[in-house]
Amino acid sequence: MNRYFPHTPDDISEMLARCGVRQLDDLYADVPESLRLKEPYRLPAEMDEYAVRRFFDSLADKNSRIRTCFAGAGFYDHAVPAAVRSLAARSEFLTAYTPYQPEISQGTLQYIFEYQTMMARLTGLEVSNASMYDGATATAEAVMMAVASQRKRNLVLVSATLNPAVRQVVDTYARYHGICLVTVPEENGVTSRKEIAALLEARGKEIAAVVVPSPNYYGIIEDHEGLADLCHASKALLIVNCIAADLATLRTPGELGADIACGDAQSLGIPLSFGGPYLGFLCCTKALMRKMPGRIVGATVDSEGRRCFVLTLQAREQHIRREKATSNICSNQGLMTLWVTIYMSLVGAEGLREINAAGASTARYLLEKMTSDGRARLRYPGQPFLNEFLLETVFNVDTFIARCIQDAGILPGVKIDSNTILMAATELQSREDVDRVFEIATTCV
């Protein structure tokens, strides 16, 4: 394929002059030199169709080294029913993307509506949107949403037990939206309730929201009972960052009195795939609906009394009032929303609970085995967890991970430091897999 450049050198010169710069590199003056490309990408030479297939097959073969995954940290290896991929790949879904015209987008609008309904029930809240890119950006959007709904309050408390990757994204959004973040320290692996109370007492009139995770980054199920009342007494909102599938088993944000629930929906049947595409979810109380970013689909009836679906509150959308839009994020509204909707429809609430129970059972067997010889211990003993926990080891984690991958095709967890590893289990790992991981651990120093 020949490269095609639509602009002539004269066109480029004219555009640069209009921008007030002399050369293309001047447009990247704000990008640090250390981050700039020093040489062209080492791309392969042109290939015919069959050579391209062989090339990508060779890349895919590298993935076969890992067949079993005990890594988690917010993203989990769950089984995906074959029907999900088959239905999501139907041409009417792949081609119907942006539902601007409801009269010809009823199928797309309907599954978005069904997704919203399922997520609202899963979180125990009244309203769900359907257009967050991933869990990290959904959390950042929740923070901005909370600040926008609280007049003259731009301070947000964020738990130290929130996933660090999520926190980095929230930090970036906050920096460019004039939002001040204060970290709430942890005590024994959980958010310090005492510190939240102290900060609300001292700075309550400045605080727009408090962000806490459930479960947290260490896999611990934090007890947030009464936290909503504490926040609301100071007129602050409570935001809970969740792992979507876990909500079928744990107390929901709605039951805890939270105002906003957010997180990643990857655990609802989206395969692990080098970080994406995944899907963020964002749910809230009805009182906050008009501050919610993204799109919301509503059900109504047409002129003949037939049930139909439309985008509602469209003033939020960039195609109606771009300068007033609360968010332009909509990339995953189509395929990933459909994927999760099909998965939840097939698995159901009881199926999700069974999946969680299977993961919890394997996780406890994994913890029992890994700590059985005294060479590893639970970082936070006594704290409840569902399917993930943090281990401190006497052996080197890098060596352990490398040997598990090389000898057994198993990714045993996520390295936290040289002697700490985060391990998780789902319905896909067997006790034989656990035994093999422990056997390799006994050979590491």
Side-chain angles (χ1 to χ4, degrees), residues 82-407:
V84 176
R85 188 181 301 275
S86 178
L87 291 173
R90 290 180 62 91
S91 60
E92 59 265 43
F93 292 134
L94 285 177
T95 56
Y97 176 66
T98 303
Y100 289 145
Q101 296 175 272
E103 63 274 20
I104 61 173
S105 303
Q106 284 300 294
T108 301
L109 290 164
Q110 181 172 356
Y111 73 68
I112 293 173
F113 181 83
E114 300 295 349
Y115 165 84
Q116 292 171 180
T117 302
M118 293 178 189
M119 291 307 302
R121 290 175 178 172
L122 191 63
T123 60
L125 291 168
E126 297 169 297
V127 184
S128 168
N129 72 359
S131 51
M132 297 289 97
Y133 181 71
D134 61 12
T137 53
T139 307
E141 293 273 5
V143 167
M144 292 193 298
M145 174 182 167
V147 170
S149 69
Q150 303 285 81
R151 291 184 177 181
K152 298 181 180 180
R153 295 185 179 213
N154 71 332
L155 178 62
V156 176
L157 308 183
V158 183
S159 171
T161 64
L162 184 69
N163 188 313
V166 174
R167 176 60 191 268
Q168 289 179 5
V169 174
V170 174
D171 285 349
T172 300
Y173 273 63
R175 175 184 175 187
Y176 293 101
H177 287 83
I179 299 172
C180 179
L181 302 179
V182 173
T183 300
V184 179
E186 61 181 84
E187 292 182 0
N188 193 30
V190 299
T191 310
S192 172
R193 178 73 66 92
K194 180 175 65 176
E195 188 64 24
I196 290 179
L199 286 166
L200 287 170
E201 176 69 24
R203 307 182 67 177
K205 293 182 179 180
E206 304 171 59
I207 298 172
V210 177
V211 183
V212 292
S214 180
N216 69 23
Y217 183 59
Y218 311 128
I220 297 171
I221 302 169
E222 297 198 18
D223 181 9
H224 297 311
E225 180 66 38
L227 182 57
D229 292 336
L230 185 63
C231 295
H232 295 160
S234 296
K235 298 184 179 180
L237 302 180
L238 177 61
I239 301 172
V240 182
N241 175 274
C242 317
I243 296 169
D246 293 0
L247 294 177
T249 300
L250 305 180
R251 294 190 68 189
T252 66
E255 290 173 319
L256 294 170
D259 302 281
I260 304 173
C262 56
D264 210 295
Q266 180 276 329
S267 58
L268 295 173
I270 299 179
L272 294 173
S273 52
F274 295 94
Y278 294 149
L279 175 67
F281 69 88
L282 186 61
C283 301
C284 68
T285 60
K286 190 174 181 179
L288 295 171
M289 178 171 61
R290 291 187 175 275
K291 296 297 183 181
M292 175 177 275
R295 296 174 182 158
I296 299 175
V297 172
T300 184
V301 294
D302 65 12
S303 59
E304 298 180 8
R306 297 172 300 186
R307 190 185 191 212
C308 61
F309 303 91
V310 294
L311 289 177
T312 187
L313 300 176
Q314 289 196 62
R316 73 183 61 247
E317 286 301 327
Q318 64 269 25
H319 65 289
I320 301 296
R321 293 168 60 191
R322 185 173 183 176
E323 72 281 1
K324 299 292 186 180
T326 52
S327 173
N328 288 337
I329 295 176
C330 58
S331 300
N332 282 15
Q333 183 165 345
L335 185 59
M336 292 297 98
T337 301
L338 172 64
W339 191 286
V340 166
T341 303
I342 297 171
Y343 176 85
M344 287 194 289
S345 299
L346 291 171
V347 173
E350 186 60 37
L352 282 177
R353 285 190 286 269
E354 291 176 2
I355 288 169
N356 287 339
S361 176
T362 302
R364 276 149 185 78
Y365 181 67
L366 176 63
L367 176 61
E368 178 185 334
K369 291 292 289 189
M370 292 298 295
T371 58
S372 61
D373 65 352
R375 302 178 74 245
R377 70 178 186 89
L378 194 61
R379 165 74 67 86
Y380 300 110
Q383 296 286 18
F385 67 90
L386 184 62
N387 70 322
E388 190 167 19
F389 52 85
L390 194 62
L391 277 187
E392 291 181 341
T393 69
V394 299
F395 49 84
N396 183 272
V397 167
D398 287 318
T399 303
F400 175 51
I401 293 175
R403 287 187 181 176
C404 283
I405 294 173
Q406 181 177 346
D407 298 347

